[in-house]
Short mmCIF file of all heavy atoms in Angstrom, two decimals:
data_model
loop_
_atom_site.label_atom_id
_atom_site.label_comp_id
_atom_site.label_asym_id
_atom_site.label_seq_id
_atom_site.Cartn_x
_atom_site.Cartn_y
_atom_site.Cartn_z
N SER A 1 -3.38 33.64 -10.50
CA SER A 1 -2.92 34.84 -9.82
C SER A 1 -3.88 36.00 -10.04
O SER A 1 -4.17 36.73 -9.12
CB SER A 1 -1.54 35.23 -10.33
OG SER A 1 -0.61 34.22 -10.03
N GLY A 2 -4.35 36.15 -11.26
CA GLY A 2 -5.29 37.23 -11.56
C GLY A 2 -6.61 37.06 -10.84
O GLY A 2 -7.18 38.04 -10.34
N VAL A 4 -7.13 35.44 -8.01
CA VAL A 4 -6.90 35.69 -6.57
C VAL A 4 -6.82 37.19 -6.32
O VAL A 4 -7.40 37.70 -5.35
CB VAL A 4 -5.64 34.95 -6.08
CG1 VAL A 4 -5.28 35.38 -4.67
CG2 VAL A 4 -5.85 33.45 -6.14
N VAL A 20 -5.22 34.56 1.13
CA VAL A 20 -4.25 34.99 0.11
C VAL A 20 -2.84 35.03 0.70
O VAL A 20 -1.88 34.57 0.05
CB VAL A 20 -4.65 36.35 -0.50
CG1 VAL A 20 -3.56 36.91 -1.39
CG2 VAL A 20 -5.96 36.22 -1.28
N SER A 23 -1.62 31.57 0.90
CA SER A 23 -1.30 31.06 -0.43
C SER A 23 0.08 31.53 -0.88
O SER A 23 0.86 30.76 -1.43
CB SER A 23 -2.38 31.50 -1.42
OG SER A 23 -2.09 31.03 -2.70
N VAL A 24 0.37 32.79 -0.65
CA VAL A 24 1.68 33.34 -1.03
C VAL A 24 2.79 32.70 -0.19
O VAL A 24 3.84 32.33 -0.72
CB VAL A 24 1.68 34.88 -0.91
CG1 VAL A 24 3.08 35.45 -1.10
CG2 VAL A 24 0.73 35.49 -1.92
N CYS A 25 2.56 32.54 1.10
CA CYS A 25 3.56 31.89 1.96
C CYS A 25 3.79 30.44 1.54
O CYS A 25 4.94 29.97 1.49
CB CYS A 25 3.14 31.94 3.42
SG CYS A 25 3.18 33.60 4.14
N ALA A 26 2.72 29.73 1.22
CA ALA A 26 2.85 28.34 0.77
C ALA A 26 3.59 28.27 -0.56
O ALA A 26 4.41 27.38 -0.79
CB ALA A 26 1.47 27.69 0.68
N ALA A 27 3.32 29.22 -1.45
CA ALA A 27 4.01 29.26 -2.75
C ALA A 27 5.50 29.51 -2.55
O ALA A 27 6.34 28.90 -3.23
CB ALA A 27 3.39 30.33 -3.64
N ALA A 28 5.84 30.38 -1.62
CA ALA A 28 7.26 30.65 -1.35
C ALA A 28 7.95 29.41 -0.80
O ALA A 28 9.08 29.09 -1.21
CB ALA A 28 7.39 31.81 -0.36
N LYS A 31 8.53 27.06 -3.71
CA LYS A 31 9.67 27.49 -4.54
C LYS A 31 10.99 27.12 -3.86
O LYS A 31 11.94 26.69 -4.53
CB LYS A 31 9.62 28.99 -4.80
CG LYS A 31 8.47 29.44 -5.66
CD LYS A 31 8.63 29.01 -7.08
CE LYS A 31 7.51 29.61 -7.92
NZ LYS A 31 7.57 29.17 -9.29
N SER A 55 4.54 23.82 -8.51
CA SER A 55 4.01 25.05 -7.90
C SER A 55 2.53 25.23 -8.22
O SER A 55 1.75 25.68 -7.36
CB SER A 55 4.78 26.27 -8.41
OG SER A 55 6.12 26.17 -8.07
N GLN A 58 0.60 22.89 -6.06
CA GLN A 58 0.61 23.39 -4.69
C GLN A 58 -0.42 24.50 -4.53
O GLN A 58 -1.19 24.52 -3.57
CB GLN A 58 2.01 23.87 -4.33
CG GLN A 58 2.15 24.46 -2.95
CD GLN A 58 1.77 25.92 -2.90
OE1 GLN A 58 2.00 26.68 -3.83
NE2 GLN A 58 1.15 26.31 -1.81
N SER A 59 -0.46 25.44 -5.47
CA SER A 59 -1.44 26.53 -5.40
C SER A 59 -2.86 26.01 -5.50
O SER A 59 -3.74 26.45 -4.75
CB SER A 59 -1.18 27.55 -6.51
OG SER A 59 0.05 28.18 -6.31
N THR A 163 -0.69 41.09 3.60
CA THR A 163 -1.18 40.47 2.37
C THR A 163 -0.82 41.31 1.16
O THR A 163 -0.35 40.79 0.14
CB THR A 163 -2.70 40.28 2.44
OG1 THR A 163 -3.00 39.47 3.58
CG2 THR A 163 -3.23 39.61 1.19
N ALA A 164 -1.02 42.61 1.25
CA ALA A 164 -0.67 43.49 0.13
C ALA A 164 0.82 43.41 -0.18
O ALA A 164 1.22 43.31 -1.34
CB ALA A 164 -1.08 44.92 0.45
N PHE A 165 1.65 43.45 0.84
CA PHE A 165 3.09 43.36 0.66
C PHE A 165 3.49 42.04 0.01
O PHE A 165 4.27 42.00 -0.94
CB PHE A 165 3.79 43.53 2.01
CG PHE A 165 5.29 43.51 1.94
CD1 PHE A 165 5.99 44.55 1.37
CD2 PHE A 165 6.00 42.42 2.42
CE1 PHE A 165 7.37 44.53 1.29
CE2 PHE A 165 7.38 42.38 2.35
CZ PHE A 165 8.07 43.44 1.78
N ALA A 166 2.93 40.93 0.52
CA ALA A 166 3.24 39.61 -0.03
C ALA A 166 2.76 39.50 -1.48
O ALA A 166 3.46 38.94 -2.33
CB ALA A 166 2.61 38.52 0.83
N ALA A 167 1.58 40.05 -1.77
CA ALA A 167 1.05 39.99 -3.14
C ALA A 167 1.92 40.80 -4.10
O ALA A 167 2.18 40.36 -5.23
CB ALA A 167 -0.39 40.50 -3.16
N VAL A 168 2.40 41.96 -3.67
CA VAL A 168 3.27 42.77 -4.53
C VAL A 168 4.59 42.04 -4.78
O VAL A 168 5.09 42.00 -5.91
CB VAL A 168 3.50 44.17 -3.91
CG1 VAL A 168 4.64 44.91 -4.59
CG2 VAL A 168 2.22 44.98 -3.97
N LEU A 169 5.18 41.46 -3.74
CA LEU A 169 6.41 40.69 -3.92
C LEU A 169 6.21 39.51 -4.86
O LEU A 169 7.03 39.24 -5.74
CB LEU A 169 6.94 40.19 -2.58
CG LEU A 169 7.58 41.21 -1.66
CD1 LEU A 169 8.00 40.55 -0.35
CD2 LEU A 169 8.78 41.87 -2.32
N PHE A 170 5.09 38.81 -4.69
CA PHE A 170 4.79 37.66 -5.54
C PHE A 170 4.60 38.10 -6.99
O PHE A 170 5.11 37.47 -7.91
CB PHE A 170 3.55 36.93 -5.04
CG PHE A 170 3.20 35.71 -5.83
CD1 PHE A 170 3.92 34.54 -5.66
CD2 PHE A 170 2.17 35.74 -6.75
CE1 PHE A 170 3.61 33.40 -6.39
CE2 PHE A 170 1.86 34.61 -7.50
CZ PHE A 170 2.57 33.45 -7.31
N ALA A 171 3.87 39.19 -7.20
CA ALA A 171 3.66 39.70 -8.56
C ALA A 171 4.97 40.13 -9.20
O ALA A 171 5.23 39.83 -10.38
CB ALA A 171 2.67 40.86 -8.54
N ALA A 172 5.83 40.81 -8.45
CA ALA A 172 7.12 41.25 -8.98
C ALA A 172 7.97 40.05 -9.37
O ALA A 172 8.61 40.03 -10.44
CB ALA A 172 7.85 42.12 -7.96
N LYS A 173 7.99 39.02 -8.53
CA LYS A 173 8.77 37.83 -8.85
C LYS A 173 8.18 37.12 -10.06
O LYS A 173 8.92 36.63 -10.92
CB LYS A 173 8.81 36.88 -7.66
CG LYS A 173 9.70 35.69 -7.95
CD LYS A 173 9.65 34.66 -6.88
CE LYS A 173 10.52 33.46 -7.16
NZ LYS A 173 10.57 33.00 -8.52
N SER A 174 6.87 37.07 -10.17
CA SER A 174 6.23 36.42 -11.32
C SER A 174 6.58 37.13 -12.62
O SER A 174 6.88 36.49 -13.63
CB SER A 174 4.72 36.37 -11.13
OG SER A 174 4.38 35.58 -10.03
N VAL A 175 6.56 38.46 -12.60
CA VAL A 175 6.91 39.23 -13.80
C VAL A 175 8.39 39.01 -14.13
O VAL A 175 8.74 38.80 -15.30
CB VAL A 175 6.60 40.73 -13.60
CG1 VAL A 175 7.21 41.58 -14.70
CG2 VAL A 175 5.09 40.94 -13.52
N ARG A 176 9.24 39.02 -13.13
CA ARG A 176 10.67 38.79 -13.35
C ARG A 176 10.91 37.41 -13.97
O ARG A 176 11.67 37.26 -14.92
CB ARG A 176 11.44 38.92 -12.05
CG ARG A 176 12.96 38.85 -12.24
CD ARG A 176 13.67 38.70 -10.96
NE ARG A 176 13.35 37.35 -10.46
CZ ARG A 176 13.76 36.86 -9.34
NH1 ARG A 176 14.47 37.59 -8.51
NH2 ARG A 176 13.46 35.65 -8.95
N ASP A 177 10.24 36.40 -13.43
CA ASP A 177 10.38 35.04 -13.98
C ASP A 177 9.85 34.94 -15.40
O ASP A 177 10.44 34.26 -16.24
CB ASP A 177 9.67 34.02 -13.09
CG ASP A 177 10.34 33.84 -11.75
OD1 ASP A 177 11.50 34.31 -11.58
OD2 ASP A 177 9.72 33.21 -10.86
#
Side-chain angles (χ1 to χ4, degrees):
S1 297
V4 171
V20 171
S23 180
V24 171
C25 290
K31 293 289 186 183
S55 299
Q58 178 276 325
S59 294
T163 302
F165 182 71
V168 167
L169 286 178
F170 182 77
K173 185 187 179 321
S174 296
V175 168
R176 187 192 69 182
D177 291 348

